[in-house]
Amino acid sequence: MDYNFFMAKRILLVFLVFSASLGIAQVTFWTETFGTGCNQAQSANGLNAGNGPWVITNTGANDPFANTWYVSAEENGNAVGTCGSGCGTNRTLHVANVPGSPSAIFCPTGDCGAAYDTGLGTSQVSTDKRAESPTINCTGQSTITLSIDYLTFGAPGTDFCVIDYFN
């Protein structure tokens, strides 16, 4: 079996780990850490940190300044309740505003971590995009476990995460 992993709408994803039960012990057979090093505003679309390229897919109508998926060290994988420290060495997959978005006064250059444009003061910014992992080969695996570290909690009632997989 091969799987792709989809993350939809406004989620910070620190890393993914797929494990399978082989007897008593768990054996990790796929991990994504998104690389290391200080960077900013790197699109997640086409990113290959060693497992193959990630793809960003539009899943609905998007405003001209729709937020987008980045992989950068701007959010830096900090602990829950801790804001991004900017330009650390732990890259994460996250949704952030694009350069020049009208309501993003706090981050005119785009990608200041998992801070995205909600459309405050204008209208709601529609962002309907998902990040798709490279194919994950699950041949011969059983009792598969997916582990993720994530943070979500921004605009009340609008932040959510969907994890889909398909064979």
Side-chain angles (χ1 to χ4, degrees):
M1 277 180 257
D2 291 340
Y3 289 98
N4 283 82
F5 176 75
F6 303 118
M7 299 297 300
K9 281 195 112 162
R10 300 182 182 130
I11 179 173
L12 167 66
L13 179 66
V14 178
F15 66 87
L16 303 170
V17 177
F18 275 81
S19 302
S21 221
L22 299 174
I24 300 172
Q26 288 275 327
V27 176
T28 299
F29 65 92
W30 196 91
T31 301
E32 179 66 84
T33 61
F34 303 105
T36 60
C38 179
N39 71 324
Q40 181 184 24
Q42 178 178 357
S43 173
N45 195 40
L47 172 87
N48 186 340
N51 290 316
W54 283 74
V55 176
I56 305 306
T57 301
N58 291 330
T59 58
N62 286 287
D63 290 331
F65 287 103
N67 300 289
T68 197
W69 288 92
Y70 292 103
V71 170
S72 74
E74 286 299 304
E75 191 57 40
N76 203 32
N78 291 335
V80 173
T82 306
C83 291
S85 55
C87 222
T89 58
N90 182 8
R91 294 180 187 172
T92 61
L93 173 68
H94 56 272
V95 172
N97 70 293
V98 297
S101 58
S103 298
I105 299 165
F106 59 89
C107 185
T109 59
D111 188 23
C112 292
Y116 55 87
D117 190 344
T118 61
L120 296 174
T122 58
S123 60
Q124 185 69 29
V125 174
S126 178
T127 301
D128 288 305
K129 299 178 182 185
R130 72 176 175 222
E132 300 175 14
S133 75
T135 299
I136 301 166
N137 185 348
C138 299
T139 304
Q141 307 296 336
S142 63
T143 316
I144 297 170
T145 301
L146 166 66
S147 300
I148 63 172
D149 286 340
Y150 71 96
L151 112 87
T152 179
F153 186 68
T158 61
D159 277 0
F160 65 90
C161 168
V162 176
I163 298 174
D164 291 322
Y165 64 93
F166 73 94
N167 183 352

